[in-house]
Amino acid sequence: MPVSLYPDFFNDVFGPVMQPGSAGGFAGPARIGNAARALAGGDVKKVRFLFDRNSHPLAFLVNFMSDRGYLGGIQGFLPDDERLFNAHALARQQGIAYEFDYTGTPEERIVVEDSAGTVYTMNASSVGGGMILVSGINGIALSWRADTHLVFLEDREGRLSLRDMENLAASLSSSGDSSFVRFSSSVSPRGQAGYGFEFSSNMPFNELDALAASAPGLRVYRLPALLSVVTRRDKQPQLFTTVEEWRQTADERGISFADAAIAYEKNSSGWTEREIWDFFEHIASILDNQIHSLEKIGYEDAKDTDLLPIYGRYWDRYAQKGRVISDSLTSHIIRHALSTNAKIPGVKIVPGPMGTGGGYLFSALDAIREQYGYSHERLVESLAVAAGLGALAFTHTNASGEVGCVGESGVCCAMASGAAAWLCGGDGRVVENAASMALQANIGIPCDPISGGLEFPCITRTVRAAVTAPLYADLAIAGIDPIIPYHQMLGVIEKTHKTATGDCLSGPNCGCNMTAAAEKCRARLEASTLAELRFTPA
């Protein structure tokens, strides 16, 4: 029976735990680099990262530190490894030759050469939120999300029959060993066959090793799972797909709305309730450190970078003058949010859904908790509620910048608004109303980060997402009905994405990027950084 696939709290919504940066632009490339490294057995002497010129201008890659993510991943650095920031220098120290260039085709491709001169090719893309899709190995089609441990058999000379491989998969499936998840097969245009065996644990697969040893022309590759939650064969069906079903689940089981969110994740991951709550506590501790990072380091001691000034320093100086126009809660959220924005190396973050979205969301929730005295337990419950809203977003649309900024800062705002409503005593219906109103206010905004634009316009939208969360929570708690259920608003996002033409919703040619000032920023970035994207040892 096919394994049920649907969004998970700790893969798709709050994840991965990572160094500060974009989840799709930094953590995803790091995971892809690690997958390509595994293809070569960890022995990498030369690598080429090849992209489509139109969808991935090299300046865009540098803007999101994707170059460091890919290059760090090739060296074995996972998304939470601080060495990612020094990926270029460390690769040069190791004598790894590398190049970032264009393919001339829409495909993204990584070409790796080991010390023996053997060449390996991987087609892979970062699909948002730190998630990746490996679509090919050495020209053989594949669909692997790094959510399992993959054993891939490349049969170049037709030594094996598809029937034998299917029988082997059937034997594994019926053996009582629950670690086997799924089997797939493919044949390249050149007649080379590939067979993928996926497992929930990193176990030896001796049958394939024996086959490879006995038949020339067979290659066995082992690629590790790279996600927090590994897919299992006994994964249970998705517990709910709308907030109405979520409320019904809580009512039928006689549990709270927040506990029903935990039941959703229990169905998905197979973790115990205690393990799930403990992971939410872990997330809360990371986010708490992030939003207070500038206070701990010192506003005047934190260091600017070429791509990002410490805007929190400006706010602190301004606030000390006692002239802040905003009310005290809004000012409090802004202080937290600008610490989130600082992206200080070594201060880990948790996306939700975009790279620093978890921090912006938590900026609002913790400021509300501090100002009005809500308990830590209620705060952690509100994170679980936010996770449920995020999982529904990924169920009904692609909650990433691909659908416009509503997919990132808009969904973040909806998650924060619903979570704030729960934190302040609202029930499941109030949570939904707050989330729906937040999405209604965000429809149609393009995702248009300026290359070299010092985090604009992203900062204005994500800070707005944080500071308006109490507004939508207040409106919902007051009893105002937004008319449209949350899942229908998510459908609007998807329909807008599918009917939009050209690059009007996402990318380097829309929104703020259509200005002359943005063009100057991009030109300045290209002049100062693109020379780093190629290294050949002497």
Side-chain angles (χ1 to χ4, degrees), residues 482-504:
I483 308 301
I484 307 169
Y486 178 62
H487 68 277
Q488 290 186 20
M489 281 309 307
L490 293 168
V492 172
I493 296 175
E494 188 65 10
K495 187 172 182 179
T496 301
H497 171 229
K498 289 181 177 179
T499 57
T501 57
D503 300 324
C504 63

Side-chain angles (χ1 to χ4, degrees), residues 63-75:
N63 195 56
F64 285 101
M65 298 189 296
S66 300
D67 56 319
R68 303 183 204 185
Y70 284 113
L71 194 55
I74 275 289
Q75 296 172 76

Side-chain angles (χ1 to χ4, degrees), residues 16 28 76 128 154 182 204 217 222 245 248 250 307 318 321 370 386 395 417 425 433 440 448 496 536:
E154 180 186 358
R182 64 173 74 90
R222 298 178 182 275
E245 291 175 358
Q248 290 172 351
L307 293 177
Y318 173 60
K321 295 177 181 178
E370 290 178 0
T395 298
S417 300
N433 288 349
Q440 289 181 38
D448 52 347
T496 301
T536 303

Side-chain angles (χ1 to χ4, degrees), residues 317-382:
R317 292 171 182 169
Y318 173 60
Q320 287 187 35
K321 295 177 181 178
R323 300 176 183 172
V324 176
I325 301 168
S326 303
D327 65 90
S328 60
L329 177 60
T330 299
S331 177
H332 194 161
I333 295 172
I334 292 171
R335 182 174 290 275
H336 285 343
L338 292 178
S339 280
T340 294
N341 175 260
K343 296 182 173 66
I344 300 167
V347 177
K348 294 180 183 179
I349 70 169
V350 184
M354 70 253 192
T356 39
Y360 287 112
L361 183 155
F362 200 77
S363 294
L365 299 181
D366 197 60
I368 295 169
R369 182 198 63 79
E370 290 178 0
Q371 186 136 332
Y372 296 108
Y374 295 110
S375 69
H376 173 76
E377 290 73 20
R378 190 74 177 184
L379 175 68
V380 175
E381 284 185 10
S382 71

